[in-house]
């Protein structure tokens, strides 16, 4: 399912340009030296990927714990349903219940640290900015976190989030170099397409969890495969 992480990353990057774009535009890169500028941007992206990998590690551990207790298939179905619900339920409903309120204080501290880092120009600054940027709340990041939980492995959870981050790199890099690109109707159409792809990926997670015996797409549950192998002997 790593391909779904990359797709979410590519789609999420269009959202990121709007949400995290201002941070990218404000990066204190050296505009007089193209080589140094490229290395600074690379370090910034490495910081983001590092943050995503750590997040994936944490939620991959949670997913593995559920996997050990035999809830892997149910978890995949639940995550698929959650992905679809997040798209279907109006944003106004989420705002009404204010699900993010418990983490507002943390977000405020992250933004404050980002503001301080943006005033510096040392190479480690770009790592810090990218790392902190990775922890800012984002709907597509939440979708990727769901996916990281569903893979059922700590290492794969971290890899899932890293691949998600890689998917965001091309467009975010372009945004840094060309701050005024992708405007108007093209961007609006892409934004409208994002929920459709999230629903498709959510449906695939549900299909995977059903264990219909379809190779790669909906493999049989592990206990069924083990039972089949025992019968062969």
């Amino acid at each position: 399912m790593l391909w779904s992480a990359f797709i979410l990353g590519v789609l999420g990057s269009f959202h990121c340009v709007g949400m995290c774009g201002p941070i990218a535009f404000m990066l204190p890169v050296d505009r007089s030296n193209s080589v140094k500028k490229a290395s600074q941007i690379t370090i910034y992206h490495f910081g983001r990927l590092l943050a995503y990998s750590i997040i994936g590690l944490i939620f991959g551990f949670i997913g593995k714990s559920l996997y050990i207790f035999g809830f892997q298939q149910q978890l995949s179905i639940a995550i698929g349903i959650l992905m679809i619900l997040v798209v279907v339920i109006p944003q106004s409903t989420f705002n009404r219940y204010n699900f993010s309120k418990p983490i507002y204080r943390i977000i405020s501290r992250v933004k404050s640290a980002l503001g301080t880092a943006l005033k510096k120009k040392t190479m480690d600054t770009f790592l810090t900015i990218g790392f902190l940027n990775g922890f800012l709340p984002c709907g597509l990041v939440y979708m990727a976190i769901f996916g990281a939980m569903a893979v059922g492995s700590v290492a794969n959870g971290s890899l899932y989030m890293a691949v998600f981050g890689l998917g965001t790199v091309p467009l975010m890099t372009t945004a840094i170099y060309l701050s005024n690109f992708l405007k108007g109707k093209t961007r609006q159409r892409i934004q409208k397409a994002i929920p459709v792809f999230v629903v498709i990926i959510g449906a695939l997670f549900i299909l995977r969890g059903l264990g219909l015996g379809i190779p790669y797409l909906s493999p049989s549950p592990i206990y069924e495969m083990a039972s089949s192998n025992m019968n062969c002997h």
Side-chain angles (χ1 to χ4, degrees):
M1 296 293 285
L2 287 177
W3 61 267
S4 67
F6 188 77
I7 291 174
L8 278 173
V10 172
L11 293 172
S13 61
F14 290 98
H15 180 70
C16 285
V17 169
M19 296 296 291
C20 303
I23 296 173
F25 303 151
M26 291 172 63
L27 282 177
V29 294
D30 188 340
R31 303 186 185 280
S32 63
N33 188 322
S34 59
V35 175
K36 190 173 182 180
K37 180 179 179 180
S39 64
Q40 290 170 335
I41 293 171
T42 300
I43 293 172
Y44 162 74
H45 285 312
F46 179 77
R48 289 198 308 117
L49 294 179
L50 181 61
Y52 289 146
S53 298
I54 291 172
I55 292 171
L57 198 72
I58 295 169
F59 285 92
F61 178 78
I62 295 173
K64 182 182 179 181
S65 301
L66 294 170
Y67 176 83
I68 291 173
F69 288 103
F71 294 123
Q72 182 63 15
Q73 302 296 122
Q74 294 91 328
L75 177 64
S76 186
I77 293 171
I79 284 173
I81 293 172
L82 278 173
M83 284 184 171
I84 294 171
L85 286 176
V86 168
V87 171
V88 173
I89 297 174
Q91 183 66 39
S92 58
T93 302
F94 288 104
N95 293 337
R96 187 188 311 159
Y97 291 100
N98 207 1
F99 295 112
S100 300
K101 190 174 181 179
I103 59 172
Y104 273 171
R105 186 173 298 177
I106 297 174
I107 295 170
S108 178
R109 289 179 180 176
V110 170
K111 287 183 176 180
S112 176
L114 269 171
T116 302
L118 284 167
K119 296 176 183 178
K120 302 176 183 178
K121 291 188 178 183
T122 57
M123 291 302 283
D124 63 303
T125 295
F126 296 91
L127 180 66
T128 302
I129 294 171
F131 186 75
L132 292 172
N133 195 168
F135 286 98
L136 288 176
C138 170
L140 270 297
V141 172
Y142 296 156
M143 299 298 103
I145 287 173
F146 289 156
M149 288 179 63
V151 295
S153 162
V154 175
N156 286 339
S158 181
L159 180 61
Y160 192 95
M161 289 299 295
V163 171
F164 165 80
L166 282 173
T168 69
V169 168
L171 194 65
M172 287 294 288
T173 302
T174 306
I176 295 171
Y177 279 96
L178 304 170
S179 59
N180 293 320
F181 86 114
L182 203 65
K183 285 189 174 182
K185 293 183 179 180
T186 302
R187 184 170 179 178
Q188 290 176 7
R189 288 171 183 169
I190 294 170
Q191 291 281 14
K192 289 179 180 179
I194 291 175
V196 176
F197 281 96
V198 171
V199 169
I200 291 172
I201 292 173
L204 288 172
F205 271 107
I206 293 173
L207 187 62
R208 177 174 178 260
L210 291 174
L212 301 177
I214 305 172
Y216 304 108
L217 188 61
S218 183
S220 299
I222 291 176
Y223 65 84
E224 285 187 12
M225 290 188 288
S227 176
S228 176
N229 290 334
M230 289 175 65
N231 291 334
C232 289
H233 293 297

